Amino acid sequence: MAKVSAMKKPKDARGTLRKLLSYLSSYRRILLLIAVLCVIANVLALLGPSLAGSAINEAAAGAGQVNFERVFYYAERMLFCYLVSSLLTLAINLIMMHASKQVGRKMRGDVFDKLMRLPVGYFDQNPAGDIISRVSYDIDVVCTCLATDVTQILTSVVTVVGSFCMMLVISPSLSVVVLVTIPISVGYTVYMRGKTQPRYRKRSAQYGVMNGFVEEKLTGQKTIQAYAYEGAIGDAFDRVNRDAADAYYDAEYYGVAIGPTMGCINNISLGLISMLGCVLYMTGNVTLGQISSFVLYSRKFSGPINEIANIINELFSALAAVERVFKLLEEEEETADRPLAQTLTEVRGDVELSHVSFGYDPERRILHDLTLRADAGKLIAIVGPTGAGKTTIINLLMRFYDVDEGEILVDGEDIRNYTRASLRSAYAMVLQDTWLFRGTIFENIAYGKENATQEEVEAAARAAHIHPFIMRLPQGYQTVISEDGGNISKGQKQLLTIARAMLYDCRMLILDEATSNVDTGTEQEIQDAMLALMRDKTCFVIAHRLSTIRNADRILVVDGGDVVEQGTHESLMAQKGFYSRLY
């Protein structure tokens, strides 16, 4: 809820609009073409009332004095103007739909590329559902606005200006009535903008919260059912859903009032025009055809204003949505590599943490002056209670986060002097939280190694003891698994990720409780395979089951962000200290 409150704060609508226009600068030729076509189409449409007035004047000449030849002359030209105007409007809509599709495609691509460059901390702090909402719902709102509302605004501006000029030409006296009602319309629109824009921003934020809630609960559906918690989750969703519905209602409540109110103001203007027109006609200052043309122009003048008032809701909604998109695009990216950063090649695997201090929150340190060394080819086990800082050490080794104080060295060089890509490619990782994507088993195992052969993939699968299971599947290695491996067991998913790491040729390994989802017998077999895999490589192993790291070259016992004990299993047991109690 704190995140939602933060997103309610009003932002600079003009600044957001300027950013959007700047974003659209690459499409300025298309927008210029649309503007030109809009002018031509609406100028032709504006000729219609004038021609209609001329035709009425010919028909109103007197009984038996109707000049049908001139009436048909004006009628034919009206038909031509309206037909060409309609065809141009159709072309404008088609071009704008194509342009909005390209803009949406580019914006989604830019957002996704931005997500790939954001630090891990961003994803730790923002729910996945809210991010997905920005990529899908918010960009859809912007595209819909570009496809329809922008064209309507361009058309409305040309129509309003053209209609008012024609009304001035016909009768300056009647135009005074319109000038009286314009300030009322503009003032009301400005007032309503202040009411609706924050509410549309809140609506977008609430939709992000709802999407995040749904994504989270669907991911944990099995756990929810296992604890028979469906009723409580349903009640919680009702609250989130109600908040989203209330935010939608609150925004639309003010939005739907704009159109009818503007229509009322325009109808008052039309009534005043009719009354004054009758007086002017009786005094001979205007003709019947001029009054008819003026009324038509007044409708053309008021109609677009009414339309603008209606679509202004969608514009505010789009501005609120694009604010969220631009906020993501403007998020601080992972700090760039240093100007003279080296590419880490020919890795030996010597790793050292020297007086490292770090906290995800600057005011709350997790690691305090941590110092440890891992010689090349050694197996380092990190053990300790929950929250001791074990996974934090792994995050720092991979430079998912940078240390606050101290330094981490690989082969004697500060890792900040290496490029992130080369540093991370020097490690293979197997995490407790497995990740598989929708694709074949072959593709999932070969994910980390480009151009991997069938023989290499099968060798890795055999080493991970998953080959027999794969061969029992209908299409073997070409069997498609669902998103996140939903159609296979957790243990099998973990075996596949272990096979992926075995295929990835590197000098350093990180294993974060890599055998937590397999049975004891399989675990022993995998450990035998891992011993071969880890030979001559620097390995960091986080384990909760201490029996899995008895043969480690060094065991680091972490508690409260400090290494409180270190040594071999036998030496630590002999100390009868913290490790002995854990064991």
Side-chain angles (χ1 to χ4, degrees), residues 250-272:
D250 194 29
E252 293 300 323
Y253 175 82
Y254 285 92
V256 297
I258 296 178
T261 305
M262 293 298 297
C264 179
I265 295 173
N266 294 331
N267 288 332
I268 292 173
S269 174
L270 182 61
L272 294 174

Side-chain angles (χ1 to χ4, degrees), residues 546-547 549-550 555 557 565-583:
L546 302 185
S547 59
I549 45 88
R550 293 185 56 154
I555 299 173
V557 185
E565 294 177 358
Q566 57 179 302
T568 62
H569 172 74
E570 290 76 14
S571 65
L572 290 174
M573 289 296 294
Q575 293 179 23
K576 299 186 181 300
F578 192 83
Y579 177 84
S580 178
R581 291 194 298 273
L582 281 177
Y583 191 80

Side-chain angles (χ1 to χ4, degrees), residues 15 51 75 96 167 176 195 214 400 429 482 496 511 534 538:
L51 294 170
M96 203 63 201
M167 286 190 290
V176 173
K195 291 285 187 181
V214 172
F400 292 146
M429 291 186 70
S482 63
L496 288 175
L511 308 174
M534 295 186 294
T538 306

Side-chain angles (χ1 to χ4, degrees), residues 518-534:
V518 298
D519 60 83
T520 306
T522 305
E523 179 184 10
Q524 184 59 51
E525 294 176 343
I526 292 176
Q527 285 177 359
D528 294 339
M530 282 187 170
L531 288 176
L533 170 69
M534 295 186 294

Side-chain angles (χ1 to χ4, degrees), residues 198-373:
R199 287 170 168 80
Y200 280 114
R201 187 176 297 112
K202 178 182 177 182
R203 185 181 74 174
S204 292
Q206 286 295 157
Y207 279 5
V209 172
M210 183 174 66
N211 288 339
F213 182 91
V214 172
E215 187 270 341
E216 180 184 75
K217 302 313 174 189
L218 289 178
T219 302
Q221 185 64 20
K222 291 181 181 178
T223 302
I224 292 170
Q225 292 179 341
Y227 283 88
Y229 211 64
E230 295 92 335
I233 293 299
D235 293 339
F237 178 75
D238 286 343
R239 290 191 294 271
V240 174
N241 191 21
R242 184 171 58 251
D243 290 341
D246 289 344
Y248 175 86
Y249 175 82
D250 194 29
E252 293 300 323
Y253 175 82
Y254 285 92
V256 297
I258 296 178
T261 305
M262 293 298 297
C264 179
I265 295 173
N266 294 331
N267 288 332
I268 292 173
S269 174
L270 182 61
L272 294 174
I273 289 171
S274 301
M275 293 172 60
L276 182 58
C278 290
V279 174
L280 294 176
Y281 177 73
M282 296 297 293
T283 58
N285 290 317
V286 293
T287 65
L288 191 61
Q290 287 177 316
I291 293 176
S292 175
S293 295
F294 194 94
V295 170
L296 290 174
Y297 279 123
S298 72
R299 299 304 291 175
K300 278 187 169 292
F301 178 82
S302 62
I305 292 181
N306 196 23
E307 287 180 5
I308 291 175
N310 285 328
I311 65 176
I312 202 167
N313 313 335
E314 299 173 14
L315 288 175
F316 292 154
S317 178
L319 281 176
V322 81
E323 269 185 343
R324 284 163 46 80
V325 175
F326 282 135
K327 183 180 178 183
L328 191 154
L329 290 173
E330 292 167 359
E331 287 287 344
E332 187 175 350
E333 298 180 6
E334 253 186 346
T335 54
D337 293 327
R338 290 179 175 177
L340 300 178
Q342 321 169 35
T343 300
L344 180 56
T345 56
E346 299 180 0
V347 183
R348 295 192 308 274
D350 290 316
V351 180
E352 181 180 357
L353 281 74
S354 177
H355 303 289
V356 168
S357 296
F358 173 77
Y360 298 104
D361 182 347
E363 297 181 359
R364 182 176 176 270
R365 291 288 175 88
I366 294 177
L367 301 179
H368 317 90
D369 195 31
L370 177 63
T371 297
L372 64 89
R373 178 174 179 82

